[in-house]
Amino acid sequence: MRVLVLQNGLKSRSTHFYNESLAWRRLCAERNLPLHILAHRQAPLDLLRELDAVAAFPAGPDASFYIDDKGTRGRPQEMLETVFSDVCMRAFAGKTTADDLVVVPYARVPEFGGLARWFEKIPAERRPFVVVLLHRPEEEWRVDPTRQRITGNPGPMREAANRLRGLATRGLLVLATNAPLAGILRSALDMDVAVSPPLYSYAFQERWFAERGEEQPKLRGRRFDLGFLGQMRPEKGGGVAIEGIKTLMTRRQGLKIALHVRDKESEASFNESLEGARGQGQVSLLTGEMSHDAFLMAIGSCRIMVMAYDPERYRARLSGPLVEAAAWGRPVVVPADTWMADMVARGRVAGTIFRGHRPDALCEAILSALDQVDTLSETARTAAVRWRAERSIDQAFDLMLARRAAAASA
């Protein structure tokens, strides 16, 4: 058996794709399984050597179109499917077997369709078992407040997924990163969709706890009361976060806040927005992409993590910063009607929830968390042990292997 991980978003060490690929390498080594990772063409040589990966894909999982070397644009879905299929065919040629396990950790319509086009070129007896993981709704979909239905057209994904299901003679496992998304996809695709543990490894936190216990890390010599991390894109509530911070600083003096922004332009914009803010406090801007280790240290250095996200965009979507905060044992402040709020309500994560995507609501939830931070932190540290044990890529891989074995014996 070989494990073939089609990691078309892997370009650098500053993304989750890198940490996840390290984990795939570890998991397969522990099980003595040969692993083949296909990365994005932009991945640097030293990264490819470290992971023993191959630069292959010209488009990542969030690509909306593809332009070839001559500048020719194709119809997005068809072109991206063809490109994905061609990469897989060149990489593995006729060497696939029914014993292989193919994993696509970040799939959208082009990945479903690309796998189907690839399988069309492989004899049925040599088609591998395939695992496809979906991490968020399509951009053009809107999840309704019940988190049970979408508005939008699921037809392209349903068509591509059904093509793949008909060709995956060894078996197809479709996974979603959270229960609301799995439920929506079951209806939209008219097929079984299981919930997967997040594809995260907590080796960094485990090493820290083994060496330092519960000592709070420092980022560049600093610790923070609050962290707004993960680059404040509009969907992550940048505007609400800034106004909430300004109100917060007038009501609670001396806070130390870490705010992660995308680039220098965003830094200038946030500085301008904060200029003249009343109250005593310190906002430290963390600008641009951070290495994965630095990002984890940043989360660990915050007593409370704040997710000011737009709930409409996160009703059926995982939050990477929340996953890492939960693993650290950090309380969180999250929007209602999201998977994040589900985790708080069910005691998987400690924290407070704000209703209404408004600065005043966010500010009140943060103040509530600050007022009970010692109790919340104790609860969060206890919950973190269970989180790391039950919600990791290790458990996700065990699920994949178990479903593959069940399909083989059916």
Side-chain angles (χ1 to χ4, degrees):
M1 172 185 170
R2 299 181 304 168
V3 180
L4 316 179
V5 178
L6 310 185
Q7 197 72 287
N8 54 334
L10 177 60
K11 298 181 184 180
S12 72
R13 289 184 175 86
S14 60
T15 63
H16 172 67
F17 300 104
Y18 169 68
N19 182 50
E20 181 191 306
S21 297
L22 286 174
W24 284 117
R25 183 65 53 199
R26 171 181 60 82
L27 289 168
C28 289
E30 290 172 353
R31 293 163 173 77
N32 199 29
L33 294 173
L35 171 65
H36 299 266
I37 298 175
L38 296 189
H40 195 281
R41 283 184 189 173
Q42 292 179 7
L45 185 58
D46 61 333
L47 175 62
L48 298 172
R49 286 172 175 164
E50 179 187 3
L51 295 172
D52 192 21
V54 175
F57 294 103
D62 289 323
S64 56
F65 61 86
Y66 171 76
I67 301 177
D68 66 17
D69 294 338
K70 297 179 181 179
T72 304
R73 289 193 180 204
R75 186 164 64 87
Q77 181 180 333
E78 182 177 346
M79 177 64 79
L80 286 164
E81 285 186 9
T82 300
V83 169
F84 193 91
S85 170
D86 289 349
V87 166
C88 294
M89 198 64 194
R90 285 195 300 270
F92 304 115
K95 298 177 182 177
T96 54
T97 74
D99 289 331
D100 289 336
L101 170 64
V102 170
V103 182
V104 184
Y106 294 85
R108 298 181 71 184
V109 178
E111 286 75 26
F112 269 116
L115 286 168
R117 289 172 185 259
W118 177 32
F119 278 24
E120 286 175 342
K121 302 171 186 176
I122 304 173
E125 66 274 10
R126 294 213 313 268
R127 292 173 191 160
F129 185 86
V130 61
V131 178
V132 179
L133 189 109
L134 296 111
H135 59 292
R136 63 177 174 79
E138 290 291 277
E139 287 288 350
E140 64 273 17
W141 297 358
R142 288 294 178 268
V143 180
D144 79 350
T146 70
R147 290 189 286 156
Q148 296 177 355
R149 297 185 300 276
I150 61 166
T151 57
N153 179 19
M157 180 175 283
R158 183 191 301 124
E159 187 274 336
N162 277 298
R163 273 192 287 141
L164 178 59
R165 179 167 58 178
L167 291 161
T169 50
R170 183 68 169 176
L172 167 65
L173 173 60
V174 180
L175 298 173
T177 55
N178 59 83
L181 180 58
I184 290 166
L185 289 169
R186 288 187 199 108
S187 175
L189 304 183
D190 192 24
M191 64 174 58
D192 180 55
V193 180
V195 180
S196 171
L199 301 188
Y200 281 71
S201 170
Y202 310 120
F204 187 95
Q205 289 96 330
E206 296 285 8
R207 285 195 303 271
W208 179 271
F209 295 134
E211 296 171 4
R212 307 286 188 91
E214 293 294 342
E215 176 188 343
Q216 186 180 356
K218 291 182 179 180
L219 179 71
R220 304 165 190 166
R222 293 172 291 175
R223 296 189 177 109
F224 306 94
D225 298 299
L226 303 170
F228 295 72
L229 304 180
Q231 300 186 11
M232 288 290 100
R233 301 190 300 271
E235 66 182 13
K236 293 196 172 187
V240 169
I242 286 296
E243 293 304 314
I245 288 171
K246 290 164 69 174
T247 303
L248 183 66
M249 290 173 67
T250 66
R251 299 184 60 183
R252 188 65 54 92
Q253 300 297 308
L255 290 175
K256 296 180 180 179
I257 301 172
L259 181 66
H260 190 194
V261 297
R262 179 181 297 183
D263 49 32
K264 288 293 184 181
E265 182 178 349
S266 300
E267 179 182 296
S269 175
F270 279 107
N271 274 326
E272 182 179 351
S273 297
L274 288 169
E275 189 174 348
R278 298 178 180 179
Q280 296 298 314
Q282 180 181 354
V283 179
S284 298
L285 295 183
L286 310 177
T287 304
E289 289 189 343
M290 305 170 68
S291 72
H292 189 263
D293 286 0
F295 187 69
L296 292 183
M297 285 292 282
I299 292 176
S301 70
C302 299
R303 294 196 74 190
I304 298 171
M305 280 287 294
V306 182
M307 287 83 180
Y309 300 174
D310 179 353
E312 185 176 340
R313 297 296 300 144
Y314 276 86
R315 281 176 176 152
R317 186 169 172 180
L318 193 82
S319 163
L322 181 136
V323 171
E324 301 290 13
W328 271 114
R330 298 293 181 263
V332 298
V333 177
V334 300
D337 302 321
T338 61
W339 168 84
M340 295 172 281
D342 294 344
M343 295 297 98
V344 173
R346 294 171 188 171
R348 305 291 191 269
V349 181
T352 60
I353 299 169
F354 65 97
R355 296 188 177 277
H357 196 230
R358 305 184 314 274
D360 61 322
L362 175 64
C363 181
E364 292 296 336
I366 293 173
L367 288 170
S368 177
L370 288 167
D371 288 342
Q372 51 184 321
V373 65
D374 291 338
T375 301
L376 287 175
S377 295
E378 183 177 351
T379 302
R381 286 192 292 269
T382 301
V385 176
R386 182 176 178 183
W387 184 281
R388 296 193 302 269
E390 297 179 355
R391 295 174 180 272
S392 74
I393 191 172
D394 301 61
Q395 283 69 47
F397 194 35
D398 286 343
L399 170 64
M400 296 173 195
L401 294 175
R403 293 291 289 266
R404 175 186 174 276
S409 61

